[in-house]
């Protein structure tokens, strides 16, 4: 089979397509014939920034057909269509998926639908829940055109937000604005707009009650400044960053950290509830995962380039087949 690996850290150019044997599933594992792989910014950052022993292979959201099961597997069988998160060798013709991370794909959904909806949708749903929003409160979503962000915009509207502000970077800002308004955003602003000291919040309807932040870094301060007194910023970015305590104190604002892995480990029943909710909204046509590009496995470097430069409108997907 083919798989993508990298032998040194760096940009998209370090990704290499290699031939290797099809793996055998171990205890509690499923072997998938991989049909779709979701590309994410955290994975792109790992390739560039290190943290894994080399050589390494990217992880990611995968979807496909079960072709073999390991010892002790229950609840899944050969021929099932499933999706889930695997932490290595996701960019491959076949992938190993632990049953704890796996869930079935409905008959009326494709593998591409699954990798565009489930993991990103769970993060978006969880981040919104972490803010504990009241009906009618206003919400700002950063990285709003991303795989997670474009679902967060839709979910905020669907779940009762009174006003949704989509914040985007300058890359392809005009295209992103049209894309996000079509998905329900009331206003679209750029990070440059928010960072200006004389920023006029009235342009996007005024300060917001909640910020769902997937950017972090130097953007944390302007994101916090966009909050109304008593507002909450939910940080779920891998981009780091710091905030001055006085900036919280002066407006009685809060910062809430959110990580999907903790929900998966300690609240699996909640994760399953959210997953079912996502599929129900999808089936009803009320949640529309969008795919910016579907690329073959050998174009993994191009997929990383699109994701890293943040020009994508929705999810970037690899299609091994």
């Amino acid at each position: 089979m083919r798989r993508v690996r990298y032998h040194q850290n760096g940009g998209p150019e370090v990704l290499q397509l290699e031939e290797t044997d099809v793996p055998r599933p171990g205890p509690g594992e499923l072997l998938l014939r991989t049909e779709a792989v979701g590309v994410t910014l955290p994975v792109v950052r790992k390739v560039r920034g290190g943290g894994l022993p080399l050589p390494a292979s990217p992880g990611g959201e995968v979807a496909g057909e079960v072709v073999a099961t390991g010892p002790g597997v229950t609840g899944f069988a050969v021929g099932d269509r499933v999706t889930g998160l695997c932490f290595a060798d996701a960019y491959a013709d076949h992938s190993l998926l632990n049953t704890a991370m796996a869930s079935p794909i409905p008959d009326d959904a494709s593998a591409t639908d699954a990798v565009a909806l489930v993991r990103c949708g769970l993060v978006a749903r969880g981040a919104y829940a972490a803010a504990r929003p009241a009906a009618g409160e206003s919400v700002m979503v950063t990285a709003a055109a991303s795989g997670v962000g474009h679902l967060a915009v839709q979910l905020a509207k669907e779940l009762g937000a009174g006003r949704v502000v989509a914040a985007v970077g300058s890359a392809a800002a005009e295209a992103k604005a049209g894309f996000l308004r079509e998905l329900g955003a009331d206003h679209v602003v750029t990070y440059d707009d928010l960072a200006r000291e004389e920023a006029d919040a009235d342009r996007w309807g005024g300060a917001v009650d909640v910020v769902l932040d997937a950017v972090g870094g130097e953007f944390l301060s302007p994101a916090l400044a966009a909050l109304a007194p008593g507002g909450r910023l939910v940080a779920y970015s891998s981009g780091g960053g710091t905030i001055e305590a006085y900036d919280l104190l002066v407006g009685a604002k809060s910062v809430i950290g959110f990580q999907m892995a903790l929900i998966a480990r300690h609240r699996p029943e909640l994760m399953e509830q959210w997953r079912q909710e996502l599929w129900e909204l999808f089936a009803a046509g009320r949640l529309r995962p969008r795919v910016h590009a579907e690329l073959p496995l050998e174009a993994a470097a191009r997929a990383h380039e699109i994701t890293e430069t943040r020009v994508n409108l929705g999810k970037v997907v690899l299609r091994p087949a």
Side-chain angles (χ1 to χ4, degrees):
M1 74 167 193
R2 303 169 305 157
R3 71 175 175 190
V4 174
R5 299 184 91 198
Y6 54 100
H7 295 258
Q8 63 185 48
N9 294 115
E13 71 281 354
V14 304
L15 298 176
Q16 300 179 13
L17 192 63
E18 303 177 350
E19 291 286 339
T20 189
D21 295 333
V22 176
R24 294 183 177 181
E29 289 184 330
L30 307 173
L31 176 65
L32 303 190
R33 180 182 294 111
T34 314
E35 298 174 16
V37 185
V39 178
T40 66
L41 187 58
V43 169
V44 172
R45 285 172 171 162
K46 283 184 179 179
V47 173
R48 186 174 283 279
L52 296 175
L54 297 174
S57 58
E61 308 121 327
V62 298
E65 181 182 346
V66 178
V67 294
T69 60
V73 167
T74 59
F76 296 94
V78 171
D80 288 349
R81 298 169 63 245
V82 301
T83 186
L85 180 67
C86 62
F87 300 100
D89 289 338
Y91 294 17
D93 292 320
H94 291 81
S95 52
L96 293 173
L97 182 61
N98 192 286
T99 55
M101 304 300 295
S103 64
I105 301 173
D107 292 340
D108 58 351
S110 70
T112 298
D113 291 331
V115 296
L117 175 71
V118 177
R119 185 68 183 178
C120 289
L122 286 172
V123 173
R125 181 67 181 88
Y128 187 73
R132 298 184 178 181
E137 285 194 314
S138 53
V139 178
M140 177 179 289
V141 178
T142 71
S146 67
V148 173
H150 86 288
L151 296 176
V153 167
Q154 296 176 69
L155 284 168
K157 273 291 188 181
E158 181 67 30
L159 297 173
R163 172 169 53 98
V164 175
V165 180
V168 300
S170 57
E174 186 173 340
K176 290 176 181 178
F179 170 74
L180 291 162
R181 288 193 180 99
E182 192 270 329
L183 293 178
D186 298 291
H187 303 276
V188 180
V189 298
T190 67
Y191 303 148
D192 290 342
D193 292 334
L194 292 171
R196 282 196 291 267
E197 290 186 8
E198 69 278 11
D200 180 9
D202 288 339
R203 288 178 50 205
W204 55 88
V208 296
D209 301 300
V210 172
V211 172
L212 306 182
D213 180 48
V215 178
E218 62 184 15
F219 182 68
L220 279 177
S221 291
L224 192 68
L227 284 175
R232 292 89 69 204
L233 185 152
V234 178
Y236 63 97
S237 165
S238 61
T242 58
I243 287 176
E244 293 291 336
Y246 179 78
D247 293 337
L248 300 177
L249 176 66
V250 71
K253 301 174 182 180
S254 303
V255 177
I256 303 161
F258 175 77
Q259 186 187 54
M260 196 64 222
L262 291 176
I263 300 294
R265 282 198 294 269
H266 302 295
R267 298 288 306 279
E269 75 291 345
L270 181 58
M271 188 171 76
E272 181 57 28
Q273 175 187 321
W274 288 342
R275 185 186 289 117
Q276 292 300 322
E277 181 180 331
L278 293 171
W279 281 123
E280 289 169 6
L281 290 170
F282 171 81
R286 291 154 56 193
L287 184 59
R288 297 169 289 166
R290 298 300 182 88
V291 174
H292 178 86
E294 294 184 63
L295 301 169
L297 197 59
E298 54 268 27
R302 176 59 181 153
H304 274 221
E305 180 184 352
I306 292 169
T307 303
E308 189 169 40
T309 55
R310 302 190 186 193
V311 298
N312 53 299
L313 307 178
K315 192 71 172 172
V316 177
V317 177
L318 291 174
R319 291 296 303 268

